[in-house]
Amino acid sequence: MASYRNVIRKSSDRTCSQPPSNLKPSSSFKSKSTSSNVRRSSSGDDHLSGRVRVAVRLRPQNAEELVADADFADCVELQPELKRLKLRKNSWDSDTYEFDEVLTEFASQKRVYEVVAKPVVESVLDGYNGTVMAYGQTGTGKTFTLGRLGDEDTSARGIMVRAMEDILANISQDSDSVIISYLQIYMETIQDLLNPENDNIAIVEDPKTGDVSVPSATMVDVRNHKEFMELLRLGEAHRVATNTKLNTESSRSHAILMVHIKRSVTEPESEISAENDHSSHTGNTFKPSIIRKGKLVVVDLAGSERIHKSGSEGHTLEEAKSINLSLSALGKCINALAENSPHVPVRDSKLTRLLKDSFGGTARTSLVITIGPSPRHRSETASTILFGQRAMKVENMLKIKEEFDYRSLCRRLEIQIDKLIAENERQQKAFEDEVERTAIEAHKRVSDAEMNYADALEREKMKCQMDYMESIKKLEEKWMSNQHKYGNNGFSNGNHGGKGDQDVIELQNILQKEISLRKEAEEEIYNLRNSQPLSTEAGVNADVLKLKRLLDDETRQKQKLEQEVQLLQSRLSQLTFESGQPRHSQYEDQSNGDRTSIANIHEQVGLQKILSLLESEDSNVRLHAVKVVANLAAEDANQERIVEAGGLTSLLELLRSRNFDETICRIAAGAIANLAMNETNQELIVVQGGISLLAMTAVDAEDPQTLRMIAGAIANLCGNDKLQTRLQSEGGIKALLGMVRSRHPDVLSQVARGIANFAKCESRASSKGTRKGRSMLIEDGALPWIVQNANSEASIIRRHIELALCHLAQHEVNTRDMVNGGALWELVRISRDCSRDDIRSLAHRTLTSSKTFLSELRRLRIEI
Ligand code: ADP
Ligand code: MG
């Protein structure tokens, strides 16, 4: 709570200012005059002082005085411009008094209000207590000055009405309040003028602050001027009624109007703001608003003449005492205060108790003393003037009555907290949304990366395949040009001794290139796998599997390539060797020679005898005999006779012989192969355990021609629909596949023919429905070799294999193995590149009619 001594910052105070400080009292001034006793600020700004202000007002002569005092001069002379009053002692001498304001008989009610009361009203609105009081002899105009309602003449409105007008104009109807009580003190009793039944109101004093109040008085909350006017009228009516009832006059009682103003200050005072400047950005929001409580007391005192004249004018002693008591107590208090006496007898009367704050307290007090002009009342007038002079010496300690409005601060803080809670909730929600959005974004990026990775992998795979196809094409072209150079029969067309070596070197170079290409591809795949950090574990596993498969394919292709190169090398060395010397077709020549002699032998000794020679102890004899039989078997006409004569059995016996002679075996196998052209003979061979005999011989044989014969015999058996199962169970297929170790094209072409025959029969049986399940070729592990040789440089091998693949591919049961084994690529190649239209379209049909192939092709994005 701010407190100020002698400080009121109101410019309007100037209207009640002291005369200039350089104005000295004239020599005729009494020592008791204000000139020496009124305390003034040395700086001259005494309008800031909390001193009691006193104005003197002279009533105009009334009708009676106009007549009665016609011959007498007025006892007072006013000098308003000097704020002086001269009181005539006699016709030649007068006393001069200085007041805060000197108001002549012509002073308007408005001016009186502005000079006497307005500064006090403004202070009250600012949160100070304020008092406006009229003191004077009865009939001098106290009530006129304070209490005129101005019903008939609005310019006659007194201080009460005008003060209320100012107050109501300056308060806020929403946040401020104005509460009125109206009392009368008569014979030391406080009566409620707003409720006459309440006729003995007690004064209560706050033990802590010493503030006095009359809590039992009627308090009326006034909202507008009309309500106030009604209250004043009501109070006046009650005053008249009460006084009539008590057989007294209003001049014998003190009327007290109390106005309690409570104002809420929204903007903090500049001083307070400055103090808290460091916290202005946060502090102001939570600074409680200030409530200012001002109290305006307007006192219309009883006539002052009673002090002197009571008793002498026939009033009851008690009444006179009472009136005297309050007024004389007031006079004593003012005297004590004026003289800075340590004891002020405030408690002596009800009036002084009620006005405790107005004189020597914290209130701003303005006193108007009223006087009449009549010389007949000179002594009364003089006594009134003296009262005013003393009052001017009373210094108050003005104190603002304000307190912090913690209740409304609490409400504001609660609202603030609610706002923050709501804001926090909003931000929390926004944060969660953001997290969710980021997660979705991250997920999308991961799947994009995975998709990109898969695409890159696929592209790389395709590239590898294309490179591989390209290399194969080059090798094939090379082979074709070699074929062209050396002729299909292997005979040299010219001098090419050094050319073969050169070709070998070239082929080695190509192989080297292939190997490095493959290495690059592997590195690329490795890099792709490492550059896939976002892949999920499952994704990585799938990718690893894919890569593994890709690597397997690559490995197979590499092996195949190596085999092809080896094959080419061996072919070339053979060609080189053959071209280096004239081709000595010993076998052919010998055969031709033999054939003549054999025909002779046959004619000479007969078939039976020849067959018996096959079992001769002499291997030489056996050799010749078998040659004869083989030659006979080469001709269709002899075959039936040979079989009937037990020749087939004898030939098979030769294969069973423990003393393995490869030449005999080769020739026997050739004969068997010839006999195996016939379906009946095929079955006979099988019945006699021929499959396993041929298979066993294949294991022991080393000469490619021996193997060619055995493979040819088995290949013939493979073309028989009835022998499929036995060929598998007795090791025929495995024997065929085992013979590819020779790598001799003649052997390989027989193996390929056998496989093609087998696949064809098997396919036929599957189509008829007599057979179910996976191909026995696949079961016996033929697929890798098939795939490796599907694009064989030897066209005869290639054709057989292409057909075998098409047969296998026609049955859905084989397709998955084929896809896994890499056969799909070969089928695609066949469907695109095969020079034979029928095989090409068969491959195409096969591909488009299989679900497995179609979905795999879609996955690999291969158009066919
Ligand atoms: P008080 O209350 O002091 O006894 P009043 O206010 O009743 O005196 O005044 C007595 C009479 O004098 C009233 O008729 C009043 O109208 C008249 N009167 C008082 N002062 C003035 C004034 N300044 N101008 C004109 N008439 C006045
Ligand atoms: Mg009066």
Side-chain angles (χ1 to χ4, degrees):
M1 188 182 287
S3 128
Y4 306 91
R5 188 181 170 92
N6 301 342
V7 175
I8 299 178
R9 288 170 188 168
K10 281 291 164 192
S11 58
S12 55
D13 279 7
R14 266 179 255 125
T15 55
C16 197
S17 64
Q18 286 288 306
S21 57
N22 57 3
L23 180 73
K24 299 286 176 211
S26 67
S27 58
S28 62
F29 278 11
K30 296 280 170 97
S31 62
K32 61 191 173 186
S33 76
T34 55
S35 59
S36 56
N37 294 322
V38 173
R39 288 169 222 164
R40 294 185 194 166
S41 156
S42 57
S43 62
D45 56 347
D46 61 348
H47 61 278
L48 297 174
S49 156
R51 180 175 60 73
V52 172
R53 305 284 155 150
V54 181
V56 62
R57 187 181 195 188
L58 178 64
R59 173 177 55 70
Q61 276 189 323
N62 57 29
E64 184 204 338
E65 285 166 341
L66 276 171
V67 177
D69 299 339
D71 300 332
F72 302 94
D74 287 349
C75 70
V76 291
E77 183 193 333
L78 301 182
Q79 293 175 314
E81 66 287 351
L82 297 174
K83 300 188 192 299
R84 285 179 185 168
L85 175 148
K86 282 186 173 175
L87 178 65
R88 213 183 299 277
K89 283 160 71 181
N90 47 52
S91 50
W92 62 90
D93 195 12
S94 63
D95 290 330
T96 302
Y97 301 95
E98 207 170 299
F99 285 95
D100 292 308
E101 281 301 332
V102 172
L103 301 162
T104 66
E105 64 269 42
F106 308 111
S108 66
Q109 288 283 74
K110 184 170 190 273
R111 197 170 120 68
V112 172
Y113 169 73
E114 280 171 357
V115 163
V116 174
K118 190 163 177 137
V120 179
V121 169
E122 282 171 346
S123 292
V124 171
L125 284 167
D126 283 344
Y128 298 90
N129 285 345
T131 313
V132 178
M133 188 157 67
Y135 180 95
Q137 189 184 356
T138 301
T140 50
K142 297 185 293 297
T143 305
F144 182 89
T145 301
L146 297 179
R148 278 294 284 264
L149 299 181
D151 286 336
E152 310 86 37
D153 176 7
T154 183
S155 70
R157 286 170 297 145
I159 283 173
M160 284 180 183
V161 176
R162 288 174 193 267
M164 203 60 194
E165 282 170 359
D166 263 3
I167 289 167
L168 288 171
N170 280 284
I171 60 146
S172 155
Q173 291 288 341
D174 300 329
S175 55
D176 304 344
S177 73
V178 180
I179 291 165
I180 301 281
S181 45
Y182 201 9
L183 309 169
Q184 166 175 281
I185 302 177
Y186 179 69
M187 286 179 68
E188 288 305 284
T189 311
I190 302 174
Q191 298 159 351
D192 194 341
L193 288 178
L194 300 179
N195 177 17
E197 284 169 17
N198 192 8
D199 60 0
N200 193 9
I201 292 169
I203 296 171
V204 175
E205 202 166 324
D206 187 318
K208 270 190 199 158
T209 62
D211 288 346
V212 291
S213 60
V214 277
S216 56
T218 304
M219 308 275 240
V220 180
D221 194 340
V222 174
R223 290 278 118 194
N224 55 51
H225 192 65
K226 204 174 145 223
E227 281 175 23
F228 175 68
M229 292 302 279
E230 277 163 16
L231 282 180
L232 276 191
R233 279 193 202 98
L234 181 71
E236 193 53 40
H238 285 151
R239 197 179 181 193
V240 172
T242 308
N243 291 338
T244 309
K245 194 171 122 195
L246 294 170
N247 193 22
T248 180
E249 296 166 29
S250 64
S251 60
R252 296 187 198 174
S253 67
H254 312 285
I256 301 166
L257 176 75
M258 283 180 172
V259 185
H260 301 266
I261 301 170
K262 204 195 254 183
R263 296 184 79 196
S264 162
V265 181
T266 42
E267 286 297 312
E269 290 286 321
S270 58
E271 291 90 344
I272 296 167
S273 301
E275 275 170 30
N276 297 317
D277 215 27
H278 59 280
S279 60
S280 59
H281 54 286
T282 52
N284 275 347
T285 324
F286 306 114
K287 198 197 288 285
S289 63
I290 292 164
I291 289 183
R292 288 191 176 154
K293 293 174 175 173
K295 184 172 80 174
L296 174 66
V297 182
V298 184
V299 188
D300 186 356
L301 290 168
S304 57
E305 73 285 353
R306 308 286 170 193
I307 303 168
H308 315 287
K309 294 182 179 172
S310 60
S312 61
E313 289 183 8
H315 296 283
T316 63
L317 185 62
E318 199 57 36
E319 186 187 72
K321 238 169 79 184
S322 296
I323 296 165
N324 269 343
L325 184 70
S326 274
L327 268 183
S328 59
L330 180 64
K332 278 182 203 159
C333 286
I334 283 173
N335 282 345
L337 286 163
E339 286 158 17
N340 281 330
S341 164
H343 176 68
V344 182
V346 174
R347 304 187 68 85
D348 283 5
S349 74
K350 292 269 167 77
L351 180 68
T352 47
R353 282 180 71 194
L354 268 184
L355 295 180
K356 184 183 164 210
D357 199 39
S358 304
F359 292 94
T362 63
R364 171 154 213 184
T365 298
S366 194
L367 172 70
V368 59
I369 55 169
T370 53
I371 53 173
S374 173
R376 288 178 291 146
H377 303 299
R378 193 191 162 279
S379 64
E380 281 303 330
T381 304
S383 136
T384 301
I385 286 168
L386 280 179
F387 181 87
Q389 288 289 298
R390 285 199 200 95
M392 278 178 78
K393 294 176 188 170
V394 176
E395 198 81 44
N396 284 1
M397 205 168 73
L398 304 192
K399 211 170 175 187
I400 196 161
K401 312 278 183 190
E402 63 180 17
E403 59 190 39
F404 290 116
D405 186 358
Y406 288 105
R407 201 175 292 172
S408 75
L409 172 68
C410 189
R411 266 200 309 277
R412 272 213 320 278
L413 286 175
E414 272 173 7
I415 292 167
Q416 185 74 14
I417 286 167
D418 280 350
K419 271 187 192 164
L420 288 172
I421 288 170
E423 181 58 30
N424 180 41
E425 208 175 359
R426 268 195 295 279
Q427 282 181 4
Q428 180 72 26
K429 179 79 178 65
F431 173 74
E432 281 167 8
D433 288 353
E434 182 63 22
V435 166
E436 199 181 313
R437 199 188 60 71
T438 313
I440 291 168
E441 176 92 343
H443 197 261
K444 191 175 164 291
R445 283 193 189 170
V446 167
S447 37
D448 283 355
E450 278 175 354
M451 215 187 286
N452 289 342
Y453 171 65
D455 285 352
L457 203 64
E458 205 52 62
R459 275 198 301 279
E460 192 55 32
K461 193 176 162 186
M462 286 296 279
K463 189 171 164 279
C464 289
Q465 291 286 351
M466 292 313 289
D467 289 351
Y468 165 69
M469 297 275 246
E470 196 58 35
S471 319
I472 293 301
K473 217 171 118 194
K474 272 186 195 158
L475 281 169
E476 216 165 357
E477 277 165 14
K478 194 80 201 165
W479 170 245
M480 289 305 279
S481 79
N482 279 340
Q483 284 281 71
H484 185 67
K485 264 186 226 158
Y486 305 126
N488 287 334
N489 57 7
F491 280 102
S492 169
N493 289 334
N495 185 11
H496 52 267
K499 189 84 173 138
D501 292 343
Q502 213 177 324
D503 290 341
V504 170
I505 289 163
E506 259 179 60
L507 281 167
Q508 275 172 342
N509 286 343
I510 293 168
L511 176 66
Q512 208 54 46
K513 211 169 129 195
E514 274 304 306
I515 289 167
S516 68
L517 270 174
R518 186 183 135 74
K519 252 187 198 159
E520 276 173 28
E522 278 172 358
E523 268 169 28
E524 186 71 18
I525 289 162
Y526 178 76
N527 288 342
L528 277 170
R529 189 160 46 188
N530 285 352
S531 68
Q532 210 337 18
L534 294 170
S535 180
T536 57
E537 206 179 321
V540 167
N541 288 341
D543 292 340
V544 166
L545 271 175
K546 251 194 234 168
L547 283 170
K548 217 171 161 189
R549 212 182 296 160
L550 199 70
L551 279 171
D552 287 350
D553 286 351
E554 286 289 315
T555 312
R556 268 201 299 278
Q557 281 159 10
K558 185 188 170 193
Q559 281 172 358
K560 189 175 159 186
L561 208 59
E562 281 169 356
Q563 278 176 10
E564 278 157 2
V565 171
Q566 270 181 6
L567 196 68
L568 281 171
Q569 274 177 326
S570 88
R571 189 76 173 166
L572 270 168
S573 13
Q574 196 186 344
L575 285 169
T576 313
F577 172 73
E578 281 169 0
S579 62
Q581 48 185 299
R583 189 168 187 267
H584 183 67
S585 183
Q586 221 172 6
Y587 182 76
E588 289 289 320
D589 292 348
Q590 201 181 350
S591 297
N592 287 342
D594 281 353
R595 211 168 272 165
T596 330
S597 57
I598 282 164
N600 293 338
I601 292 168
H602 178 217
E603 278 166 22
Q604 286 165 19
V605 296
L607 181 64
Q608 207 60 55
K609 182 66 185 166
I610 294 165
L611 291 177
S612 67
L613 289 175
L614 290 175
E615 291 158 26
S616 164
E617 289 295 310
D618 186 343
S619 62
N620 216 16
V621 174
R622 278 204 313 276
L623 177 65
H624 282 290
V626 78
K627 276 183 183 174
V628 172
V629 176
N631 270 301
L632 289 171
E635 285 172 34
D636 292 351
N638 302 329
Q639 287 179 356
E640 202 179 334
R641 269 200 305 133
I642 293 170
V643 173
E644 273 174 11
L648 182 59
T649 314
S650 303
L651 288 167
L652 289 169
E653 271 314 304
L654 285 175
L655 297 184
R656 197 175 276 136
S657 160
R658 281 195 198 130
N659 304 322
F660 178 73
D661 181 330
E662 183 154 357
T663 312
I664 290 172
C665 280
R666 182 178 71 234
I667 298 165
I672 292 167
N674 279 334
L675 293 174
M677 306 279 271
N678 175 298
E679 202 179 320
T680 320
N681 293 348
Q682 288 165 358
E683 282 156 27
L684 275 173
I685 291 168
V686 171
V687 167
Q688 293 179 41
I691 296 171
S692 48
L693 283 173
L694 288 165
M696 269 157 47
T697 313
V699 171
D700 294 334
E702 279 166 11
D703 184 348
Q705 291 311 316
T706 313
L707 293 171
R708 181 172 75 112
M709 297 308 171
I710 297 167
I714 296 176
N716 286 345
L717 298 179
C718 284
N720 189 320
D721 291 316
K722 295 174 196 155
L723 306 179
Q724 301 274 295
T725 322
R726 292 197 69 167
L727 275 165
Q728 189 199 23
S729 62
E730 289 170 30
I733 299 168
K734 291 232 165 81
L736 265 185
L737 292 169
M739 284 184 279
V740 301
R741 71 181 188 275
S742 135
R743 298 191 179 179
H744 194 285
D746 292 347
V747 181
L748 297 181
S749 67
Q750 290 306 323
V751 171
R753 188 170 67 84
I755 285 172
N757 281 346
F758 194 93
K760 187 178 165 188
C761 293
E762 206 175 46
S763 171
R764 206 154 43 209
S766 294
S767 300
K768 277 189 209 156
T770 54
R771 152 154 231 288
K772 286 209 164 56
R774 207 158 66 131
S775 165
M776 287 181 270
L777 287 172
I778 294 174
E779 278 176 1
D780 276 10
L783 199 55
W785 187 80
I786 292 175
V787 171
Q788 277 168 33
N789 290 275
N791 199 15
S792 169
E793 72 285 358
S795 58
I796 180 116
I797 297 172
R798 194 163 69 235
R799 292 288 167 261
H800 287 312
I801 300 288
E802 282 171 353
L803 280 168
L805 275 172
C806 289
H807 289 310
L808 287 173
Q810 275 165 20
H811 303 286
E812 199 68 28
V813 72
N814 297 328
T815 51
R816 183 42 59 195
D817 288 295
M818 293 183 77
V819 168
N820 293 341
L824 181 61
W825 286 104
E826 298 308 328
L827 281 167
V828 172
R829 185 191 55 73
I830 296 165
S831 74
R832 283 176 185 164
D833 300 341
C834 185
S835 56
R836 261 175 65 179
D837 292 348
D838 57 339
I839 297 176
R840 202 168 62 234
S841 59
L842 177 64
H844 191 270
R845 257 200 327 277
T846 311
L847 282 174
T848 51
S849 56
S850 158
K851 274 187 210 157
T852 311
F853 288 148
L854 284 175
S855 80
E856 187 66 7
L857 290 170
R858 257 197 307 280
R859 192 182 68 77
L860 298 172
R861 295 173 196 182
I862 296 173
E863 300 272 328
I864 56 159

